[in-house]
Amino acid sequence: EVQLVESGGGLVQPGKSLRLSCVASGLTVGTVDMSWVRQRPGKGLEWLVSIYEYGAMEYADSAKGRFTISRDNAKNTLYLQLNSPIIEDTAMYYCTTGGRFEWRTGGNSRGQGTQVTVSS
């Protein structure tokens, strides 16, 4: 059974960096496509970034240049670095299996999420 557990969220001031983690079990992060998505208050799920099995990365415009995805195969962990977050980045952040167009489909897994609140 695949299990994804996110952590690292919290209250952060605008402009202060934050790194989210997603520890995986039941799969090896370096051998599957994975993504980060988020849900802002009152909005639907929004895809942010994917990292593919062979290392390619793809970013949404809202994340490009501000967020960085990475993975540590030895720790079986996926990361999302939020650089200089803004208030509009306040959301629940989830890691998922599947790439940009697959993460929503049946058979993919999503963690329980970690809340990020950007506020001064």
Side-chain angles (χ1 to χ4, degrees), residues 1-4 24-27 109:
E1 179 188 1
V2 173
Q3 190 170 22
L4 304 172
S25 58
L27 61 82
S109 300

Side-chain angles (χ1 to χ4, degrees), residues 69-118:
I69 192 171
S70 62
R71 64 191 178 197
D72 185 330
N73 293 344
K75 295 182 179 180
N76 214 31
T77 300
L78 185 73
Y79 299 102
L80 182 67
Q81 179 83 22
L82 278 61
N83 298 308
S84 299
I86 59 178
I87 291 174
E88 290 74 19
D89 292 322
T90 294
M92 184 72 82
Y93 286 74
Y94 302 90
C95 68
T96 78
T97 58
R100 178 179 181 180
F101 299 108
E102 291 80 33
W103 65 271
R104 286 183 184 271
T105 62
N108 281 300
S109 300
R110 187 166 77 226
Q112 84 291 344
T114 187
Q115 176 68 38
V116 173
T117 301
V118 184

Side-chain angles (χ1 to χ4, degrees), residues 6-115:
E6 300 94 336
S7 63
L11 177 63
V12 61
Q13 292 181 331
K16 299 289 188 183
S17 295
L18 193 67
R19 190 176 76 163
L20 309 182
S21 301
C22 171
V23 178
S25 58
L27 61 82
T28 302
V29 297
T31 64
V32 298
D33 300 340
M34 296 190 73
S35 301
W36 284 96
V37 303
R38 70 182 179 185
Q39 186 165 27
R40 291 187 280 182
K43 305 289 187 182
L45 287 167
E46 174 191 7
W47 170 77
L48 294 173
V49 58
S50 298
I51 184 166
Y52 296 94
E53 179 183 356
Y54 295 105
M57 303 171 198
E58 190 174 14
Y59 289 86
D61 288 343
S62 59
K64 201 173 297 182
R66 301 194 309 117
F67 298 171
T68 303
I69 192 171
S70 62
R71 64 191 178 197
D72 185 330
N73 293 344
K75 295 182 179 180
N76 214 31
T77 300
L78 185 73
Y79 299 102
L80 182 67
Q81 179 83 22
L82 278 61
N83 298 308
S84 299
I86 59 178
I87 291 174
E88 290 74 19
D89 292 322
T90 294
M92 184 72 82
Y93 286 74
Y94 302 90
C95 68
T96 78
T97 58
R100 178 179 181 180
F101 299 108
E102 291 80 33
W103 65 271
R104 286 183 184 271
T105 62
N108 281 300
S109 300
R110 187 166 77 226
Q112 84 291 344
T114 187
Q115 176 68 38

